[in-house]
Amino acid sequence: LFICEENCIVDWTNNKTYHKGAVTLRKISDTDVQISVQQDSTSKETFEVNNLIMGALKEKMLDKSIIKSNDDIITVRYNHFDNSTRIKFFYSFTSNFTIYLDFKSITDIDLYLDEDVDSHEDVKIFLDEIDNLKLSGKGLQNHVLIYKEEYYPKLIFGAVKYRYKLNYIGIEGSAVVNLGFPDYVKSQDGYADFQISIDLVLNRQDKNPSTENKIRKKLLEFFEKKKIESYNKLKII
């Protein structure tokens, strides 16, 4: 999926930008269809187009009797977790679940406080420290606020950025992966779908669209498998 955005207000001489995304359908049983959404861009236009396509695909599958209802479509949504299980879901991606990736660090978190939940008095201090850690580029996974579960009920994770070392059949580099619920980050939509964005940084001799697309597609298979595995263990509804 390629999206072309034209904006004459920004620059009338060079007013087109291009974004990539994907919606993948996989029939995993006689009754269940798994839908996954990937963005190679974090632009809001990519999110919106992906959501439109996903809605149209659901309607088409219902019309063709491929599925009986929306309940037959497996989607991971923000409100399928509470605050604690959502953090554990995100944290599960720090494990080494594929031979091609070696987890290095969490580099950014869209983090909010749940005003309906009481918490330790020191949470505000820790949040200020996390802002400093973002600026200095340190691994957030080592911060006490992230690995101590007693803080989890107060914290809302909307999205997390991970950095992995990549070695794919001799091709080396790094993968920066954004996992999250962009519609929640954008508008606090409790029904927001989980989405994945994979950005590859390869050595100069390996850097070309064909190689990147091949690696990204293979990595997405592993992320989808891990996503469903963690989701089935941690979902609350």
Side-chain angles (χ1 to χ4, degrees), residues 44-88:
K44 63 181 178 63
E45 289 80 11
T46 305
F47 297 147
E48 291 169 357
V49 172
N50 275 346
N51 286 337
L52 288 172
I53 292 175
M54 190 161 56
L57 286 171
K58 289 179 181 179
E59 289 185 9
K60 182 64 68 175
M61 286 190 293
L62 286 167
D63 290 342
K64 297 294 183 180
S65 298
I66 297 174
I67 58 176
K68 295 179 181 179
S69 72
N70 284 332
D71 292 337
D72 293 331
I73 299 176
I74 299 175
T75 55
V76 176
R77 291 200 173 96
Y78 171 88
N79 66 345
H80 290 175
F81 306 94
D82 58 23
N83 292 342
S84 295
T85 56
R86 193 179 305 108
I87 293 176
K88 292 177 182 178

Side-chain angles (χ1 to χ4, degrees), residues 75-83 85-86 89-90 110 112 114 155-159 180-185 188-194 231 236-237:
T75 55
V76 176
R77 291 200 173 96
Y78 171 88
N79 66 345
H80 290 175
F81 306 94
D82 58 23
N83 292 342
T85 56
R86 193 179 305 108
F89 174 71
F90 277 116
D110 279 295
Y112 312 88
D114 191 332
L155 304 178
I156 297 173
F157 278 26
F181 304 91
D183 285 338
Y184 180 84
V185 175
Q188 283 68 60
D189 181 2
Y191 295 94
D193 290 322
F194 183 73
Y231 174 69
I236 60 172
I237 62 172

Side-chain angles (χ1 to χ4, degrees), residues 106-108 126-146:
I106 292 175
T107 61
D108 200 2
F126 286 141
L127 286 175
D128 290 340
E129 289 180 5
I130 281 184
D131 288 337
N132 293 331
L133 284 169
K134 286 182 184 180
L135 294 174
S136 64
K138 295 180 180 178
L140 297 179
Q141 74 279 0
N142 297 319
H143 196 278
V144 63
L145 190 63
I146 307 305

Side-chain angles (χ1 to χ4, degrees), residues 97-122:
F97 52 89
T98 166
I99 60 173
Y100 302 124
L101 294 177
D102 182 18
F103 172 75
K104 291 301 180 183
S105 64
I106 292 175
T107 61
D108 200 2
I109 301 173
D110 279 295
L111 179 61
Y112 312 88
L113 291 180
D114 191 332
E115 300 301 331
D116 296 326
V117 177
D118 293 330
S119 65
H120 295 266
E121 295 180 357
D122 52 6

Side-chain angles (χ1 to χ4, degrees), residues 162-183:
Y162 307 75
R163 180 173 293 277
Y164 302 86
K165 181 180 179 181
L166 170 72
N167 189 332
Y168 179 79
I169 315 178
I171 299 174
E172 297 185 352
S174 61
V176 177
V177 182
N178 284 284
L179 304 179
F181 304 91
D183 285 338

Side-chain angles (χ1 to χ4, degrees), residues 3-7 10 14-19 43 45:
I3 304 167
C4 176
E5 178 188 7
E6 186 171 1
N7 189 340
V10 177
N14 185 21
N15 54 24
K16 292 183 178 179
T17 57
Y18 297 88
H19 313 282
S43 72
E45 289 80 11

